[in-house]
Coordinates of all heavy atoms in Angstrom, one line a residue:
I257 N 204.8 94.5 116.8 CA 203.8 93.5 116.7 C 202.5 94.1 115.9 O 201.9 93.6 115.1 CB 203.3 93.2 118.1 CG1 204.4 92.3 118.8 CG2 201.9 92.4 118.1 CD1 204.1 91.9 120.1
F258 N 202.3 95.5 116.2 CA 201.2 96.1 115.5 C 201.5 96.3 113.9 O 200.6 96.1 113.1 CB 201.0 97.5 116.1 CG 199.8 98.2 115.4 CD1 198.4 97.7 115.6 CD2 200.0 99.3 114.6 CE1 197.4 98.4 115.0 CE2 198.9 100.0 114.0 CZ 197.6 99.6 114.2
A259 N 202.8 96.5 113.7 CA 203.2 96.7 112.2 C 203.0 95.3 111.5 O 202.6 95.3 110.4 CB 204.6 97.2 112.2
I260 N 203.4 94.3 112.2 CA 203.3 92.9 111.6 C 201.8 92.6 111.3 O 201.5 92.1 110.2 CB 203.9 91.9 112.5 CG1 205.4 92.1 112.6 CG2 203.7 90.4 112.0 CD1 206.1 91.2 113.6
A261 N 200.9 93.0 112.3 CA 199.5 92.7 112.1 C 199.0 93.4 110.9 O 198.2 92.8 110.1 CB 198.8 93.0 113.4
E262 N 199.3 94.8 110.8 CA 198.8 95.5 109.6 C 199.4 95.0 108.3 O 198.7 94.9 107.4 CB 199.0 96.9 109.8 CG 198.3 97.5 111.0 CD 198.1 99.0 110.7 OE1 198.9 99.6 110.0 OE2 197.1 99.6 111.2
L263 N 200.7 94.5 108.3 CA 201.3 94.1 107.1 C 200.6 92.7 106.7 O 200.4 92.5 105.5 CB 202.8 93.8 107.4 CG 203.6 93.3 106.2 CD1 203.6 94.3 105.1 CD2 205.0 93.0 106.7
L264 N 200.4 91.9 107.7 CA 199.7 90.6 107.3 C 198.2 90.8 106.7 O 197.9 90.2 105.8 CB 199.7 89.6 108.5 CG 200.9 89.1 109.0 CD1 200.8 88.4 110.3 CD2 201.8 88.2 108.0
T265 N 197.6 91.7 107.4 CA 196.3 92.0 106.9 C 196.2 92.6 105.5 O 195.4 92.2 104.7 CB 195.5 93.0 107.9 OG1 195.5 92.4 109.2 CG2 194.1 93.4 107.4
G266 N 197.1 93.6 105.3 CA 197.2 94.2 104.0 C 197.6 93.2 102.9 O 197.3 93.4 101.7
S267 N 198.4 92.2 103.2 CA 198.9 91.2 102.3 C 197.9 90.2 102.0 O 198.1 89.3 101.2 CB 200.2 90.6 102.8 OG 201.3 91.5 103.0
G268 N 196.8 90.2 102.8 CA 195.7 89.2 102.5 C 195.9 87.9 103.1 O 195.2 86.9 102.8
F269 N 196.9 87.8 104.2 CA 197.0 86.4 104.8 C 195.9 86.3 105.7 O 195.6 87.2 106.6 CB 198.4 86.3 105.5 CG 199.6 86.4 104.6 CD1 200.5 87.5 104.6 CD2 199.8 85.3 103.8 CE1 201.6 87.4 103.7 CE2 200.9 85.2 103.0 CZ 201.7 86.4 102.9
P270 N 195.3 85.1 105.8 CA 194.1 84.9 106.7 C 194.6 84.9 108.2 O 195.6 84.2 108.5 CB 193.5 83.6 106.3 CG 194.6 82.8 105.6 CD 195.5 83.9 105.0
S271 N 193.8 85.6 109.0 CA 194.2 85.5 110.4 C 193.7 84.1 111.1 O 193.0 83.4 110.4 CB 193.4 86.5 111.2 OG 192.0 86.4 111.2
P272 N 194.2 83.7 112.2 CA 193.8 82.5 112.9 C 192.3 82.3 112.9 O 191.6 81.3 112.5 CB 194.3 82.5 114.2 CG 195.6 83.4 114.1 CD 195.2 84.3 113.1
S273 N 191.5 83.3 113.2 CA 190.1 83.2 113.3 C 189.4 83.2 111.9 O 188.4 82.6 111.7 CB 189.5 84.4 114.1 OG 189.8 85.6 113.5
A274 N 190.1 83.8 110.9 CA 189.5 83.7 109.6 C 189.8 82.4 108.9 O 189.0 81.9 108.1 CB 190.0 84.9 108.7
Y275 N 191.0 81.8 109.2 CA 191.3 80.6 108.5 C 190.6 79.4 109.1 O 190.3 78.4 108.4 CB 192.8 80.4 108.8 CG 193.4 79.2 108.0 CD1 193.5 79.2 106.7 CD2 193.9 78.0 108.7 CE1 194.0 78.1 106.0 CE2 194.3 77.0 108.0 CZ 194.5 77.0 106.7 OH 194.9 75.9 105.9
D276 N 190.2 79.4 110.4 CA 189.5 78.3 111.0 C 188.1 78.9 111.5 O 187.9 79.1 112.7 CB 190.3 77.8 112.1 CG 189.6 76.5 112.7 OD1 188.6 76.1 112.2 OD2 190.2 75.9 113.7
R277 N 187.1 79.1 110.6 CA 185.9 79.7 110.9 C 185.0 78.8 111.7 O 184.3 79.3 112.7 CB 185.1 80.1 109.6 CG 185.7 81.2 108.8 CD 186.0 82.5 109.7 NE 184.8 83.0 110.2 CZ 184.7 83.7 111.2 NH1 185.9 84.0 112.0 NH2 183.5 84.3 111.8
A278 N 185.2 77.5 111.6 CA 184.3 76.6 112.3 C 184.5 76.7 113.7 O 183.6 76.5 114.6 CB 184.5 75.2 111.8
R279 N 185.8 77.0 114.2 CA 186.1 77.1 115.7 C 186.0 78.5 116.2 O 186.2 78.8 117.3 CB 187.5 76.5 115.9 CG 187.7 75.0 115.7 CD 189.1 74.7 115.9 NE 189.4 73.2 115.5 CZ 189.4 72.3 116.5 NH1 189.2 72.6 117.8 NH2 189.6 71.1 116.2
N280 N 185.8 79.5 115.3 CA 185.9 80.9 115.6 C 184.7 81.7 115.1 O 184.8 82.8 114.6 CB 187.2 81.5 115.1 CG 188.5 81.0 115.8 OD1 189.0 81.3 116.9 ND2 189.1 80.0 115.0
K281 N 183.5 81.1 115.3 CA 182.3 81.8 114.8 C 182.0 83.0 115.6 O 181.3 84.0 115.2 CB 181.1 80.8 114.9 CG 181.2 79.7 113.9 CD 180.0 78.7 114.0 CE 180.2 77.5 113.2 NZ 179.1 76.6 113.2
H282 N 182.6 83.2 116.8 CA 182.3 84.2 117.7 C 183.3 85.4 117.4 O 183.1 86.5 118.1 CB 182.5 83.8 119.2 CG 183.8 83.2 119.6 ND1 184.4 82.1 118.9 CD2 184.9 83.7 120.3 CE1 185.6 81.8 119.4 NE2 185.9 82.8 120.2
R283 N 184.2 85.1 116.5 CA 185.2 86.3 116.1 C 184.9 86.7 114.7 O 184.5 85.8 113.9 CB 186.6 85.8 116.3 CG 186.9 85.6 117.7 CD 188.5 85.3 117.8 NE 189.0 85.2 119.2 CZ 189.1 84.0 119.9 NH1 188.9 83.0 119.3 NH2 189.5 84.1 121.1
S284 N 185.2 88.0 114.4 CA 184.8 88.4 113.0 C 185.8 88.0 112.0 O 185.4 87.7 110.9 CB 185.0 90.0 113.1 OG 186.1 90.5 113.3
G285 N 187.1 87.7 112.3 CA 188.1 87.3 111.4 C 188.4 88.4 110.4 O 189.0 88.2 109.4
I286 N 188.0 89.7 110.7 CA 188.3 90.8 109.8 C 189.7 91.2 109.5 O 190.0 91.8 108.5 CB 187.5 92.1 110.2 CG1 187.2 93.0 109.2 CG2 188.1 92.7 111.5 CD1 186.2 94.1 109.6
A287 N 190.6 90.9 110.5 CA 191.9 91.3 110.4 C 192.8 90.7 111.4 O 192.3 90.1 112.4 CB 192.1 92.8 110.4

């Protein structure tokens, strides 16, 4: 799971909180 998270971040795929910023203002969406 951790390897998948780093792979997705490194590939530039937006995380759930980064993709939907309107609903996730309290999260950084950094990775």
Side-chain angles (χ1 to χ4, degrees):
I257 291 178
F258 181 71
I260 295 175
E262 292 210 333
L263 182 62
L264 294 174
T265 300
S267 300
F269 293 112
S271 65
S273 58
Y275 187 70
D276 188 1
R277 293 304 301 156
R279 295 175 183 263
N280 295 277
K281 296 178 181 179
H282 59 296
R283 294 190 172 95
S284 66
I286 196 170

